[in-house]
Amino acid sequence: MAKKRTKSKTKKTTDAPKKVSFKLSKQNKIIFGSLLIVLSIALFFSFMSFYFTWQEDQSMLSQFADRNAQARNLLNKFGANVSHFFMYKGFGLASFVFPFLLAITGLYLFLGLELKGLISKWIWGLVGVIWGSIALGFFAADFPLLGGLVGYEMNDFLQDYTGKIGVFLILIFILMVILVRLFNFTPEGFANFFRRQKRQITSELNDGDTSNTTAAPSVDDEDDIVLTTEETAPEKIDTYTHKKDIPPLDEAGLDVNIPEEEESDIDLKVETTPVEEEEETDAKAAKLVEDFGEFDPKLELGNYKFPQLDLLDAHGASGGITINQEELEENKNRIVSTLKNYKIGIAQIKATIGPTVTLYEIVPEAGIRISKIKNLEDDIALSLAALGIRIIAPIPGKGTVGIEVPNKNATVVSMRSVIASNKFQKAEMELPIAFGKTISNETFVVDLAKMPHLLMAGATGQGKSVGLNAVITSLLYKKHPAEVKFIFVDPKKVELTLYNKIERHFLAKLPDSDEAIITDNTKVINTLNSLCIEMDNRYELLKTAMVRNIKEYNAKFKARKLNPNDGHKFLPYIVLVIDEFADLIMTAGKEVETPIARLAQLARAIGIHLIIATQRPSVNVITGIIKANFPARIAFRVTSKIDSRTILDAQGADQLIGRGDMLYTQGNDVTRLQCAFVDTPEVAKITDYIGSQRAYPEAHLLPEYVGEESGTSLDNDIEDRDAMFREAAEVIVTAQQGSASLIQRKLKLGYNRAGRIIDQLEAAGIVGPFEGSKARQVLVPDMYSLEQLLENEAK
């Protein structure tokens, strides 16, 4: 059977269309880059020479094939012909942009840089060439060589339709577009530039006047003398002014002299250099916010529309709960009579009707033991002929005993009614989740960011998958794709496949993965370890930003106080959803449990949250480590009291009636809820609606994880080694610690590149093989041995 499956898989991969890609090797890049740099230099000198020799070289243009004919241009006939084409027939002086663009492209290739930014440089370079040619043709119409034939003809053509004023206005408009798009020009920035220049000139003049250094500040300048303590210090920022030290003028307008004793008390020797650096950083951030506003991560998908309520069905419910007065009265009488049979008197009884169950709150007479009522659970269930009775003795926060009795006709709680509620719509939470409704028919909304992880368990067919869909739907209705990313693990391969349609909006995956919904257990292990790497990287960012959690970090990034050039970026929340955890534990065991426990312990502050669902809430699946780190738990109906205790540390889940009836706890009280119902066609409509909109180029990529099998089949090809291979080898041998993270820190490289270098070091025999969480063994003892090894390889 396994053989057959392998065969079909192979066939599938061979039938898939092959992607044609054009990639230059490193050597070819260096050669091609050198060619472009040389060509740019040749063009520059031929263009320069053209303006001095063009008259003499006119006769040589038609004699290119004649070897005896010589041109005066610095690059001879080649230079004369090329410069004539660009400078006279082309764009004139604006043609000097072409050598510049060729030189930049050559440098990118020569240095092996990414070519992403080159396209915009060429586009704006060509715009500048055209604009410069037309502008020179307009302002220097009498000198056609300055604007070239293109500039002259374009001016002539435009003036026939718009006149000189029209051409001038067009040039001004295009110049404004270039300034705004390329140089971020704004009127405020323009005004601030002149203000800064004025301040700088004033401060230089003040610094030059030595006589004013010890004098007391004048009344006019008193607002400028502000000394602040360093912002980076943990103490409160204090602001001191010397306004109070300046005596006021009296009513007659006479100057009042400051006594010498007071002058000697004023100490203005304050170290302001670090303060000025901090002030400069904050000033830059404030200016950026003033010019462009706060950074908005939603701008890339600025036209994204949140799902509409019409995509969800009402499921025939009008929103209200039908009250069966006869049923209420009958149940009340049976409870009272049953308790009387056991000599338990009731002082008061009250009913609260919910969508699935009705809560009867009783106040027993004085002297009645609560444990006596608790022990009558089965007797009350027998008298009421109900499916499952749950007694809460006592109800937390109240002086009453609660008896939950299932309704004969349960009301379906639709996801639409929950999403439309004010409680959810106005929820000021980071990751709001609407589970459903309580016994008192109130919408129950919690914040996943504060849970911080959620464990769901219950027998087959009791509403677990619907509960997962309710959680995901809540977040899809409330959060923008830039704010949250999901990782879906679905061993059953059928429960979460609908969310494939929103892959490029909301999903995250490994770089080498074809599908975002993870169904293979090996990929689950790699994904969990990749999440651990992401967690470590995020904590490093928080450390450098000097903040404690993702909320503070993102607020600081939005305020433009963190520089993207230093690796800072907006961090979306990541929600890991595992649909069948028991299957993973059975097949992978510790390989899954260890990263899950690590993420559960540490990932809260950096915005990674786990939602784990399982059918088997046994102790070998929900271990002590997992339970300790999952205070928020949901129990659907289970078959035994032992399973209930495994999930909730309390009884009650075995008395639920199924079909979305559930208990929720976050470490303290247990709350009974009716889970909101969202059907598969509704989920399909939501994903279709989101998937039809403009998306990101690809799913959110997690860091690459190098597994145990990596590096074993690498060839020791010296030519294909990384440019920083030798430096990395020296770092590893000096530190005697073989890890990718060490190379990352010391050489300031990305994780993927550091991982490839580690593989190359293993192939070269400098470090040992992968050993799980341990650092690799360094096989070279010292720098001398390393030199010998590399020299022998070169031979």
Side-chain angles (χ1 to χ4, degrees):
M1 196 75 179
K3 216 170 186 181
K4 202 170 182 182
R5 192 178 296 164
T6 314
K7 204 170 180 183
S8 62
K9 238 180 193 177
T10 314
K11 189 177 179 184
K12 190 176 179 183
T13 51
T14 52
D15 293 343
K18 293 182 179 178
K19 293 182 180 177
V20 180
S21 61
F22 177 72
K23 259 192 173 181
L24 289 172
S25 67
K26 188 174 181 181
Q27 290 87 349
N28 288 336
K29 281 183 180 179
I30 294 170
I31 293 167
F32 192 48
S34 304
L35 174 65
L36 291 179
I37 292 168
V38 170
L39 182 60
S40 68
I41 295 168
L43 286 177
F44 178 78
F45 282 109
S46 64
F47 290 175
M48 286 287 290
S49 180
F50 173 79
Y51 282 100
F52 300 97
T53 63
W54 68 273
Q55 290 174 325
E56 292 90 336
D57 292 342
Q58 283 294 306
S59 58
M60 297 296 156
L61 298 175
S62 59
Q63 301 178 32
F64 189 80
D66 187 1
R67 293 185 62 181
N68 296 321
Q70 297 294 314
R72 292 284 308 280
N73 192 290
L74 287 175
L75 273 83
N76 211 322
K77 286 182 287 186
F78 169 80
N81 280 272
V82 170
S83 56
H84 177 77
F85 175 78
F86 277 98
M87 308 301 281
Y88 178 72
K89 289 187 175 181
F91 305 97
L93 277 173
S95 299
F96 275 99
V97 174
F98 288 112
F100 173 75
L101 290 173
L102 287 172
I104 289 289
T105 308
L107 282 171
Y108 267 67
L109 291 167
F110 187 83
L111 298 173
L113 303 175
E114 290 188 13
L115 305 179
K116 290 180 182 176
L118 269 180
I119 297 172
S120 63
K121 284 183 173 61
W122 272 92
I123 290 170
W124 285 110
L126 293 174
V127 170
V129 166
I130 295 168
W131 182 85
S133 177
I134 297 171
L136 288 167
F138 179 77
F139 291 108
D142 296 333
F143 303 98
L145 284 178
L146 294 178
L149 198 60
V150 171
Y152 181 82
E153 292 293 340
M154 286 292 290
N155 265 288
D156 195 36
F157 173 77
L158 290 171
Q159 285 184 30
D160 287 344
Y161 287 94
T162 62
K164 284 195 172 184
I165 295 175
V167 176
F168 179 75
L169 293 174
I170 290 169
L171 288 171
I172 291 294
F173 172 71
I174 297 172
L175 176 63
M176 189 60 64
V177 171
I178 293 170
L179 288 173
V180 170
R181 299 292 295 182
L182 276 186
F183 303 105
N184 299 322
F185 171 81
T186 58
E188 296 87 355
F190 191 67
N192 289 337
F193 172 76
F194 281 106
R195 284 198 205 103
R196 282 198 302 273
Q197 295 301 317
K198 183 182 174 183
R199 279 196 206 121
Q200 191 174 353
I201 293 165
T202 308
S203 64
E204 285 174 2
L205 289 172
N206 290 338
D207 290 342
D209 188 1
T210 55
S211 61
N212 290 335
T213 51
T214 55
S218 67
V219 177
D220 294 331
D221 296 330
E222 65 190 19
D223 293 331
D224 293 332
I225 300 177
V226 178
L227 306 175
T228 61
T229 58
E230 188 177 349
E231 269 192 34
T232 53
E235 291 83 20
K236 185 180 177 182
I237 298 170
D238 298 319
T239 304
Y240 305 96
T241 64
H242 291 277
K243 185 174 181 179
K244 61 183 180 180
D245 297 330
I246 302 167
L249 297 177
D250 63 5
E251 292 180 2
L254 297 174
D255 290 4
V256 181
N257 293 324
I258 301 175
E260 289 183 4
E261 291 78 13
E262 288 184 24
E263 283 185 358
S264 62
D265 290 340
I266 299 173
D267 185 11
L268 294 179
K269 293 179 181 178
V270 180
E271 292 291 333
T272 57
T273 308
V275 180
E276 285 173 2
E277 289 175 6
E278 289 295 327
E279 283 180 348
E280 187 179 347
T281 305
D282 280 352
K284 285 180 181 177
K287 182 185 176 300
L288 286 170
V289 172
E290 182 185 341
D291 292 347
F292 306 106
E294 286 197 344
F295 172 79
D296 187 2
K298 303 176 187 177
L299 275 182
E300 193 173 346
L301 295 184
N303 295 324
Y304 174 79
K305 293 180 181 177
F306 286 86
Q308 301 169 351
L309 277 175
D310 298 340
L311 300 172
L312 295 169
D313 299 332
H315 295 293
S318 58
I321 294 175
T322 52
I323 299 172
N324 190 333
Q325 198 64 40
E326 291 181 8
E327 183 185 345
L328 286 175
E329 198 65 32
E330 187 180 345
N331 286 340
K332 183 200 79 171
N333 293 333
R334 285 181 177 177
I335 290 170
V336 171
S337 61
T338 304
L339 292 175
K340 273 187 179 178
N341 291 339
Y342 293 93
K343 297 180 182 180
I344 297 172
I346 296 174
Q348 186 183 344
I349 187 166
K350 184 179 78 171
T352 304
I353 306 164
T356 309
V357 297
T358 299
L359 173 65
Y360 293 89
E361 291 183 62
I362 60 173
V363 179
E365 291 179 349
I368 302 296
R369 294 173 66 90
I370 298 297
S371 59
K372 195 174 181 183
I373 301 174
K374 183 71 175 170
N375 293 333
L376 295 176
E377 191 171 45
D378 294 334
D379 299 285
I380 296 170
L382 178 66
S383 67
L384 294 173
L387 188 62
I389 299 293
R390 179 169 168 262
I391 294 179
I392 311 162
I395 296 176
K398 295 184 179 181
T400 58
V401 174
I403 302 175
E404 292 175 351
V405 182
N407 297 336
K408 288 181 180 176
N409 298 312
T411 305
V412 177
V413 176
S414 66
M415 195 71 203
R416 177 170 179 156
S417 64
V418 172
I419 295 289
S421 65
N422 285 332
K423 195 167 185 180
F424 179 76
Q425 292 293 332
K426 296 179 180 178
E428 294 182 0
M429 301 176 180
E430 294 299 310
L431 297 172
I433 294 174
F435 280 121
K437 293 194 175 181
T438 63
I439 287 178
S440 56
N441 204 35
E442 292 179 4
T443 303
F444 189 78
V445 183
V446 289
D447 190 357
L448 178 62
K450 291 183 179 177
M451 286 186 185
H453 311 292
L454 178 63
L455 176 65
M456 301 173 71
T460 307
Q462 303 304 315
K464 195 167 64 280
S465 295
V466 174
L468 277 179
N469 284 331
V471 171
I472 298 165
T473 303
S474 300
L475 294 173
L476 292 180
Y477 264 87
K478 200 72 175 174
K479 306 306 287 184
H480 189 276
E483 297 174 310
V484 65
K485 301 294 177 184
F486 293 97
I487 299 172
F488 291 133
V489 178
D490 184 13
K492 288 192 280 189
K493 304 180 182 180
V494 293
E495 293 293 346
L496 301 172
T497 49
L498 283 171
Y499 297 102
N500 262 324
K501 298 170 189 173
I502 59 171
E503 176 181 333
R504 292 189 296 127
H505 290 86
F506 280 101
L507 302 193
K509 65 177 185 179
L510 291 172
D512 58 343
S513 181
D514 295 329
E515 294 183 357
I517 311 292
I518 304 163
T519 55
D520 183 18
N521 287 347
T522 307
K523 286 188 177 178
V524 175
I525 297 164
N526 291 346
T527 303
L528 292 174
N529 284 292
S530 174
L531 264 181
C532 290
I533 295 167
E534 174 73 12
M535 176 181 73
D536 294 337
N537 292 344
R538 287 190 171 199
Y539 268 117
E540 196 65 33
L541 290 175
L542 261 63
K543 178 185 170 185
T544 55
M546 292 185 289
V547 293
R548 295 180 61 190
N549 55 54
I550 188 173
K551 192 174 179 181
E552 293 175 10
Y553 178 89
N554 283 338
K556 203 167 183 180
F557 187 82
K558 285 180 181 178
R560 302 185 185 271
K561 293 183 179 180
L562 300 174
N563 192 345
N565 294 328
D566 297 335
H568 292 292
K569 57 186 176 181
F570 181 83
L571 301 178
Y573 286 92
I574 296 177
V575 180
L576 171 65
V577 180
I578 301 177
D579 185 37
E580 188 45 71
F581 188 60
D583 183 64
L584 293 181
I585 291 293
M586 287 170 64
T587 54
K590 287 286 181 185
E591 287 182 289
V592 167
E593 188 180 340
T594 303
I596 286 279
R598 189 161 180 258
L599 288 167
Q601 288 167 349
L602 299 173
R604 172 184 183 175
I606 42 83
I608 299 176
H609 303 281
L610 280 58
I611 299 174
I612 291 176
T614 181
Q615 291 179 357
R616 270 184 47 206
S618 53
V619 289
N620 62 329
V621 174
I622 304 174
T623 60
I625 295 173
I626 291 173
K627 282 180 72 174
N629 294 292
F630 283 78
R633 300 174 206 160
I634 286 177
F636 292 91
R637 188 184 182 189
V638 292
T639 53
S640 68
K641 287 182 170 63
I642 296 171
D643 287 347
S644 178
R645 285 191 177 279
T646 305
I647 307 164
L648 300 172
D649 294 328
Q651 293 183 14
D654 55 313
Q655 298 294 336
L656 298 174
I657 62 172
R659 295 179 63 84
D661 190 18
M662 69 184 202
L663 297 175
Y664 170 82
T665 179
Q666 201 167 348
N668 300 319
D669 304 334
V670 177
T671 307
R672 189 166 185 172
L673 306 169
Q674 177 60 38
C675 183
F677 179 67
V678 52
D679 206 357
T680 306
E682 296 173 73
V683 177
K685 283 190 281 186
I686 293 167
T687 53
D688 283 337
Y689 181 83
I690 295 171
S692 64
Q693 300 183 54
R694 180 173 165 269
Y696 295 108
E698 57 185 348
H700 182 80
L701 295 181
L702 297 170
E704 187 178 349
Y705 172 70
V706 182
E708 288 183 16
E709 72 281 356
S710 179
T712 54
S713 61
L714 288 176
D715 295 326
N716 190 12
D717 193 346
I718 298 174
E719 290 184 359
D720 290 337
R721 281 180 182 171
D722 194 278
M724 300 192 77
F725 174 84
R726 191 181 185 91
E727 292 92 327
E730 291 172 357
V731 167
I732 292 293
V733 171
T734 304
Q736 286 294 302
Q737 181 187 346
S739 68
S741 58
L742 178 66
I743 296 175
Q744 274 183 277
R745 291 196 305 272
K746 294 292 184 184
L747 302 181
K748 298 180 180 177
L749 301 177
Y751 182 81
N752 296 347
R753 189 176 179 186
R756 285 193 293 272
I757 293 174
I758 280 287
D759 292 339
Q760 292 167 6
L761 290 170
E762 180 187 346
I766 297 171
V767 298
F770 182 80
E771 296 182 17
S773 58
K774 295 181 182 178
R776 293 171 185 252
Q777 184 183 356
V778 182
L779 305 176
V780 179
D782 51 40
M783 293 299 292
Y784 177 75
S785 304
L786 177 65
E787 291 291 337
Q788 292 292 321
L789 177 66
L790 296 177
E791 282 177 15
N792 291 336
E793 279 190 340
K795 292 175 184 177

